[in-house]
Amino acid sequence: MLSAWLVLLSSFFIWQMTETQLIYKLNKMECQVNQSRVTNVSCHVKAINWNMAVVNMDCFMIVPLIKPVIRIQVFMKDYSNQYKPFLVDVTVKICDVIERRNFIPYGVITWKLFKRFTNVNHSCPFSGQLTARDGYLETNLLPPFPQGLYLISLIVMDTNSTNRDYVGTMKFFLQAMEQIRSRKKPRS
Ligand SMILES: *[C@@H]1O[C@H](CO)[C@@H](O)[C@H](O)[C@H]1NC(C)=O
Ligand SMILES: *[C@@H]1O[C@H](CO)[C@@H](O)[C@H](O)[C@H]1NC(C)=O
Ligand SMILES: *[C@@H]1O[C@H](CO)[C@@H](O)[C@H](O)[C@H]1NC(C)=O
Ligand SMILES: *[C@@H]1O[C@H](CO)[C@@H](O)[C@H](O)[C@H]1NC(C)=O
């Protein structure tokens, strides 16, 4: 009898686990740039449905990016409505990731997203018109963050042997949440 209950109970938990799927939904984004290096900037988030929104971005690089370095930071909104640092704060030499000389995880994730959704899909340097179309964050690219509101910030700098210049910042505001289903399945 007890074991029958355990089977029932555990099948209920399995049902729960398969029914709730975590997703990362983009709510908005902001871009700031060094205007002596980048012009014609536009960045937008477009909602597709309750669970999904996509990023479209355009900008023109007046000064080519030779050896860009990206600082990737994650912040989580706390109960006092402030974004606090959350686990991730890494600085990535993206050319090294592209040329497979570095396999730093968040750098590899960033490169996967660039390759899939942007024309920044080749080795350094990057110049001229840069665009991103219909970009989104697949759930399986990230570890399962606790549900809540997050800010992912990418600060881009360009470096040479003597200098490190600020190029721009992209801020993605997103929500880790359970997928919203249009139809509830009966709990038969
Ligand atoms: C920037 O946009 C303006 C207006 O759309 C256009 O006339 C100009 O050629 C663009 N400049 C660059 C560098 O793309
Ligand atoms: C890079 O992206 C451009 C524009 O989306 C595409 O035409 C090109 O084939 C891509 N190149 C590679 C190497 O994936
Ligand atoms: C490094 O960049 C700075 C500013 O962009 C430039 O003035 C300098 O000539 C560059 N140095 C080298 C060695 O390329
Ligand atoms: C913006 O870019 C210019 C040209 O490369 C550079 O001289 C300047 O230092 C940059 N601004 C910052 C805040 O790094």
Side-chain angles (χ1 to χ4, degrees):
M1 189 59 200
L2 182 65
S3 65
W5 271 111
L6 282 177
V7 168
L8 241 163
L9 209 65
S10 56
S11 65
F12 176 74
F13 280 117
I14 289 165
W15 178 82
Q16 284 253 302
M17 277 166 63
T18 53
E19 280 303 292
T20 63
Q21 204 206 332
L22 185 74
I23 55 165
Y24 298 108
K25 190 196 168 192
L26 275 161
N27 290 328
K28 68 168 181 170
M29 76 172 295
E30 289 170 3
C31 297
Q32 291 145 19
V33 298
N34 180 340
Q35 292 182 343
S36 47
R37 303 187 58 119
V38 190
T39 59
N40 282 13
V41 180
S42 78
C43 61
H44 299 287
V45 166
K46 187 171 84 182
I48 303 292
N49 59 38
W50 290 107
N51 295 307
M52 167 115 172
V54 295
V55 166
N56 289 307
M57 264 187 288
D58 289 278
C59 67
F60 186 87
M61 307 305 292
I62 306 166
V63 182
L65 283 169
I66 307 298
K67 269 196 176 177
V69 169
I70 306 179
R71 181 174 182 192
I72 303 166
Q73 289 165 285
V74 179
F75 302 87
M76 186 187 190
K77 206 176 215 180
D78 70 6
Y79 54 86
S80 61
N81 251 2
Q82 308 246 310
Y83 283 105
K84 295 284 163 63
F86 180 81
L87 296 176
V88 182
D89 183 354
V90 291
T91 299
V92 178
K93 292 176 177 164
I94 199 73
C95 305
D96 286 355
V97 173
I98 295 170
E99 285 152 30
R100 303 177 73 83
R101 277 182 276 128
N102 187 318
F103 294 90
I104 185 167
Y106 285 93
V108 172
I109 293 170
T110 305
W111 172 230
K112 274 189 185 159
L113 292 168
F114 282 5
K115 251 194 315 199
R116 176 146 180 216
F117 298 116
T118 77
N119 68 343
V120 183
N121 54 5
H122 53 79
S123 49
C124 303
F126 307 124
S127 58
Q129 189 73 26
L130 305 185
T131 63
R133 286 290 172 271
D134 298 332
Y136 62 93
L137 195 54
E138 291 151 302
T139 304
N140 61 13
L141 283 180
L142 288 188
F145 288 174
Q147 288 188 28
L149 293 168
Y150 293 87
L151 160 59
I152 299 179
S153 154
L154 306 186
I155 301 176
V156 182
M157 320 264 276
D158 202 8
T159 57
N160 63 19
S161 48
T162 53
N163 271 64
R164 177 174 275 222
D165 279 352
Y166 172 70
V167 177
T169 307
M170 288 169 268
K171 289 182 180 171
F172 300 93
F173 296 85
L174 50 92
Q175 184 173 10
M177 63 180 209
E178 263 176 39
Q179 188 166 25
I180 296 168
R181 283 161 194 281
S182 48
R183 270 182 302 155
K184 284 242 180 342
K185 285 188 184 142
R187 292 174 180 238
S188 66

